[in-house]
């Protein structure tokens, strides 16, 4: 087993002590992670803040038990390779060319801790030249975009696609990637400032829904046909309107709960336009080692080619107050781009 350094017996971690609001976020001492034979040890330097973090904190998504280490996204330095000889000889493992000391990232929790141990096939090797700050800001939202545009609804060149919350971290990534694929992106945002940001990142049309009639404008832009596809991370508040803005044989991809969970509905709702609805989760596209390798390669190729650029909105400290403020600001709808935590001093 290759490794570097000596390790402490305990480490600091941000935990949720119960289901609740920001008050349940605490910084606690936990045991140093013990890596299983198929796992790799990582020293965390930066972590990404995401809406899904609040779903686990508030109980929308369950956790196994409390206290639970928070976070779903991190980047840091690889300290130890797996100890299982069978893993080290696995062709899928060898294809990644992991090296102790290299930068790696991960988008499966827990993540908000000074050190973590993860199964090797869930660890993303980061190309040379990309630092851990950038590596923590990109993967979860960008891999969500890439898997969704490949598998949930594959937007084709010339399609008109409506993107709700187009100036958020996910939205800006989606704008950039869809534009590069020749898609007509219609971005929905709440302010003029966000409209300018979405347009600068690739949205061809931007609708400020607080000033304009969103449904009417989408109809005008698409000559009354509606959008070929809708990507909706807002949830409850935009759900019903989607059915007015989608065209016949279109696809609605609902994936977030920013305004609340989408209500249950009958499949009969789809029949009038022969619609498709998808409710994907990124990690269910990243189950096998081959899937992880494919999308990790696509991710960093997209970054290195200049198609995708990190939009870091703000950094926060690795404290309960820092995490609470980050989550509160993100759910307020006033942020643009990515929020990150500085874990290592």
């Amino acid at each position: 087993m290759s490794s570097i350094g000596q390790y402490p017996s305990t480490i600091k971690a941000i935990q949720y002590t119960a289901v609740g609001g920001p008050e349940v976020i605490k910084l606690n001492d936990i045991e140093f992670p013990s890596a299983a034979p198929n796992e790799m040890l990582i020293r965390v330097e930066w972590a990404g803040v995401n809406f899904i973090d609040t779903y686990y904190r508030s109980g929308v998504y369950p956790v196994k038990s409390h206290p639970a280490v928070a976070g779903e996204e991190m980047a840091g330095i690889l300290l130890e390779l797996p100890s299982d000889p069978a893993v080290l000889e696995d062709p899928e493992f060898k294809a990644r060319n992991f090296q102790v000391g290299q930068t790696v990232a991960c988008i499966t929790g827990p993540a908000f801790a000074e050190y973590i141990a993860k199964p090797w096939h869930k660890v993303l090797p980061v190309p040379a030249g990309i630092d851990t700050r950038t590596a923590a800001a990109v993967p979860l939202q960008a891999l969500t975009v890439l898997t969704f545009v490949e598998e949930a609804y594959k937007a084709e060149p010339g399609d008109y696609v409506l993107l709700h919350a187009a100036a958020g971290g996910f939205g800006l990534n989606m704008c950039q990637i869809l534009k590069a694929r020749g898609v007509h992106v219609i971005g929905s945002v709440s302010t003029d400032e966000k409209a300018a940001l979405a347009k600068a990142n690739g949205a061809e049309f931007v609708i400020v829904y607080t000033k304009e009639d969103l449904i009417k404008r989408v109809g005008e832009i698409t000559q009354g046909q509606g959008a070929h596809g809708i990507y909706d991370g807002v949830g409850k508040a935009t759900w019903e309107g989607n059915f007015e803005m989608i065209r016949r044989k279109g696809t609605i991809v609902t994936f977030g709960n920013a305004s609340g969970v989408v209500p249950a509905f009958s499949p009969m709702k789809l029949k009038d336009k022969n619609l498709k609805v998808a409710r994907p989760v990124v990690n269910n596209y990243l189950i096998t080692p081959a899937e992880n390798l494919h999308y990790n390669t696509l991710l960093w190729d997209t970054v290195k080619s200049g198609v995708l650029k990190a939009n870091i909105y703000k950094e926060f400290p690795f404290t309960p107050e820092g995490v609470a403020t980050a989550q509160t600001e993100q759910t307020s709808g006033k942020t643009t781009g990515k929020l990150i935590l500085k874990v290592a001093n």
Side-chain angles (χ1 to χ4, degrees):
M1 176 175 63
S2 299
S3 65
I4 56 177
Q6 299 295 316
Y7 310 125
S9 58
T10 62
I11 62 172
K12 299 290 185 183
I14 296 290
Q15 293 186 308
Y16 303 139
T17 55
V19 171
E23 73 280 355
V24 306
I25 302 171
K26 305 294 181 184
L27 181 67
N28 293 327
D29 290 321
I30 64 172
E31 290 186 2
F32 188 89
S34 177
N38 71 325
E39 291 184 330
M40 305 205 290
L41 182 67
I42 302 164
R43 183 179 73 244
V44 180
E45 294 192 348
W46 293 87
V49 179
N50 298 282
F51 267 102
I52 194 173
D53 302 339
T54 65
Y55 303 161
Y56 284 114
R57 190 201 72 212
S58 63
V60 173
Y61 292 171
V63 300
K64 290 182 179 179
S65 63
H66 290 95
V69 178
E72 294 293 308
E73 180 179 34
M74 53 67 58
I77 303 302
L78 178 59
L79 301 181
E80 291 189 4
L81 300 177
S83 59
D84 184 349
V87 169
L88 299 177
E89 293 302 317
D90 189 316
E92 290 281 0
F93 178 81
K94 289 183 175 182
R96 288 154 176 76
N97 194 31
F98 284 118
Q99 301 292 324
V100 168
Q102 79 173 101
T103 297
V104 293
C106 191
I107 63 164
T108 55
F112 293 176
E114 293 176 314
Y115 294 83
I116 61 170
K118 293 292 181 185
W120 66 268
H121 68 278
K122 294 295 186 181
V123 178
L124 310 175
V126 178
I130 297 175
D131 60 25
T132 52
R133 182 176 179 269
T134 302
V138 170
L140 183 55
Q141 291 173 338
L143 284 170
T144 302
V145 171
L146 290 169
T147 55
F148 286 9
V149 301
E150 287 288 320
E151 301 195 49
Y153 165 61
K154 191 164 187 175
E156 300 291 344
D159 281 2
Y160 284 83
V161 170
L162 173 62
L163 173 61
H164 291 291
F170 174 92
L172 295 177
N173 287 346
M174 180 68 87
C175 285
Q176 294 176 54
I177 288 172
L178 288 179
K179 179 185 178 182
R181 296 185 175 211
V183 174
H184 301 292
V185 181
I186 307 169
S188 172
V189 298
S190 59
T191 67
D192 291 335
E193 177 189 17
K194 290 184 176 183
L197 188 58
K199 203 159 186 68
N201 280 270
E204 184 176 349
F205 308 94
V206 183
I207 303 168
V208 182
Y209 64 81
T210 54
K211 296 181 177 181
E212 303 175 84
D213 185 323
L214 178 61
I215 294 173
K216 180 181 178 182
R217 284 290 294 125
V218 170
E220 292 171 349
I221 291 167
T222 62
Q223 298 181 333
Q225 297 299 304
H228 292 85
I230 298 175
Y231 294 102
D232 185 1
V234 175
K236 184 178 180 181
T238 49
W239 176 245
E240 291 299 332
N242 288 337
F243 289 88
E244 295 187 56
M245 296 182 287
I246 194 73
R247 72 174 58 197
R248 186 178 66 88
K249 298 196 292 185
T251 301
I252 300 170
V253 182
T254 176
F255 58 91
N257 313 296
S259 66
V261 177
V262 167
F265 68 97
S266 167
M268 295 293 286
K269 194 176 184 71
L270 310 179
K271 69 179 179 60
D272 290 344
K273 294 183 180 179
N274 285 2
L275 301 177
K276 302 181 185 72
V277 171
R279 207 308 179 186
V281 176
V282 59
N283 283 324
N284 284 333
Y285 291 125
L286 303 172
I287 298 297
T288 69
E291 288 169 337
N292 277 274
L293 180 59
H294 167 73
Y295 279 112
N296 188 58
T297 302
L298 181 59
L299 165 66
W300 298 117
D301 284 350
T302 305
V303 173
K304 288 188 295 182
S305 69
V307 167
L308 181 63
K309 298 177 177 65
N311 286 279
I312 297 174
Y313 174 74
K314 199 171 183 180
E315 298 175 9
F316 296 85
F318 186 62
T319 63
E321 297 78 14
V323 175
T325 301
Q327 291 187 359
T328 300
E329 289 192 14
Q330 187 169 55
T331 55
S332 74
K334 297 178 181 178
T335 63
T336 59
K338 185 70 179 184
L339 311 184
I340 56 175
L341 302 176
K342 184 173 176 57
V343 178
N345 295 322

